[in-house]
Amino acid sequence: MELTINDLSKEYGRKKAVNHFSAKLTNGVYGLLGANGAGKTTLMRIICDVQTETKGAIFFNGKNIHDLGEKYRNILGYLPQNFGYYPNFTAYKFLMYISAIKGLPPKKAHNRTMELLQVVDLLTQKNEKIKTFSGGMKQRLGIAQALLNDPRILILDEPTAGLDPKERVRFRNLISSLAENRIVILSTHIVSDVEYIANEILIMNNGELIQHGSPEEILKPIEKCVWECDVSRKEAEELELNYVTANLKHNNGAERLRIISQEAPCRTAWNVDPTLEDLYLYYFTEVSEHE
């Protein structure tokens, strides 16, 4: 199974929301990282055939998705950023309703609904109204509706926004378990959501794909660009003004800073292993230096 995005662009007047984006995706989890406004949502809506590209094309197993039409949409599962639901519906009724829209026969819809309510840990709340659900429960219901047709391609736009840390961990584990025989595209600006589960990271900025690869591969360019140092409060304030600072904490009467810089920020700084969060800050705080 292969999804090929070929030189894709989407323009709104002079603004290029997606700019010559190309990628080849197979089974696994793809983390789509970028600041707000980077073009992630527009790209995902084009992949879902909800919006039309200005230039370029998307192919599924070698065939243009526009030519595939309904056949392509039948293999898609989509959880948009602003997931709409009916507050007075119960979880069960809502999934049965979405099943009907997706054309599932009643018996299959019932079986699939019950199966997915168990998968997303909402079976005991199946007869409760959605308006009583927490943010995490609503997002899990959103995942369930995206999975009703057992999609080959699962697209999730900012799925963990607003979730507490425990719910986010549960959500990541769920996504990881679903990815074995699917292409999963997970868009987020919360780096830790993809750090542990993504097979490949795609980094977008100003509509362009600026970096991609496994988490290990894309960290190589900044291996010598992450530093820590112990300094006084005054020195810390100066360094924060002049460098991208990932973290600051008190450490035995000094301030320990974590800094992203191509050069040592001070004489006493030492190199440390980079994380995806460091990489994110490297690209989106100092982006003008790397364009």
Side-chain angles (χ1 to χ4, degrees):
M1 186 166 62
E2 188 174 274
L3 187 71
T4 305
I5 305 167
N6 185 25
D7 199 29
L8 200 73
S9 293
K10 178 64 177 179
E11 299 169 7
Y12 298 100
R14 292 184 178 180
K15 179 177 170 55
K16 290 188 175 181
V18 178
N19 191 11
H20 298 290
F21 190 106
S22 294
K24 191 173 285 187
L25 315 181
T26 55
N27 286 359
V29 179
Y30 293 82
L32 184 60
L33 290 178
N36 289 333
K40 304 188 302 294
T41 293
T42 301
L43 175 66
M44 296 178 107
R45 287 173 64 84
I46 295 171
I47 294 171
C48 288
D49 205 18
V50 175
Q51 280 183 265
T52 306
E53 66 279 358
T54 306
K55 297 173 186 172
I58 299 176
F59 301 92
F60 179 68
N61 289 342
K63 295 181 180 177
N64 192 302
I65 63 169
H66 298 316
D67 296 334
L68 289 169
E70 196 66 28
K71 284 183 180 178
Y72 176 69
R73 287 187 287 276
N74 285 341
I75 60 146
L76 280 175
Y78 181 38
L79 177 60
Q81 190 170 352
N82 299 307
F83 162 55
Y85 59 91
Y86 297 94
N88 287 313
F89 275 27
T90 63
Y92 174 82
K93 185 178 178 182
F94 176 73
L95 292 180
M96 288 296 288
Y97 171 72
I98 299 297
S99 297
I101 291 174
K102 292 189 175 186
L104 273 67
K107 186 175 180 181
K108 184 177 180 181
H110 168 78
N111 291 340
R112 186 72 176 144
T113 291
M114 296 299 284
E115 177 190 342
L116 287 171
L117 284 168
Q118 184 155 7
V119 167
V120 300
D121 200 21
L122 287 174
L123 194 58
T124 56
Q125 291 88 16
K126 69 184 175 73
N127 293 319
E128 295 178 18
K129 290 186 176 180
I130 301 171
K131 67 182 178 184
T132 67
F133 284 8
S134 68
M137 292 166 76
K138 287 172 186 170
Q139 288 295 80
R140 281 184 272 140
L141 185 64
I143 279 283
Q145 66 80 29
L147 288 168
L148 279 166
N149 56 330
D150 195 20
R152 301 295 90 203
I153 301 170
L154 182 60
I155 297 178
L156 309 166
D157 193 359
E158 298 286 354
T160 59
L163 302 192
D164 66 36
K166 186 177 178 182
E167 287 173 325
R168 279 173 43 209
V169 169
R170 181 191 285 177
F171 194 90
R172 291 201 301 262
N173 291 342
L174 173 61
I175 298 310
S176 195
S177 70
L178 293 169
E180 189 177 349
N181 298 309
R182 291 183 177 87
I183 295 171
V184 180
I185 305 173
L186 171 61
S187 160
T188 185
H189 62 274
I190 303 171
V191 180
S192 59
D193 287 340
V194 296
E195 188 154 17
Y196 300 110
I197 63 170
N199 303 96
E200 189 164 328
I201 306 290
L202 309 171
I203 301 179
M204 277 189 87
N205 189 58
N206 293 328
E208 296 181 20
L209 179 63
I210 60 170
Q211 185 64 272
H212 68 95
S214 69
E216 296 77 22
E217 288 169 342
I218 65 170
L219 287 176
K220 282 182 181 175
I222 66 161
E223 272 182 352
K224 301 296 183 184
C225 297
V226 185
W227 309 81
E228 287 190 356
C229 55
D230 290 333
V231 294
S232 68
R233 173 68 62 85
K234 185 178 178 183
E235 287 174 299
E237 288 173 357
E238 286 182 14
L239 288 168
E240 281 191 282
L241 285 173
N242 294 308
Y243 292 95
V244 177
T245 305
N247 194 38
L248 182 154
K249 65 179 178 181
H250 300 292
N251 187 50
N252 295 328
E255 306 288 335
R256 176 162 292 183
L257 271 66
R258 186 181 183 94
I259 288 172
I260 294 98
S261 169
Q262 292 184 345
E263 300 173 353
C266 63
R267 188 171 47 83
T268 58
W270 62 91
N271 271 126
V272 293
D273 291 335
T275 66
L276 274 183
E277 190 169 82
D278 296 324
L279 185 79
Y280 186 92
L281 290 169
Y282 179 78
Y283 280 115
F284 295 109
T285 312
E286 296 188 314
V287 72
S288 60
E289 295 178 20
H290 305 288
E291 285 178 345

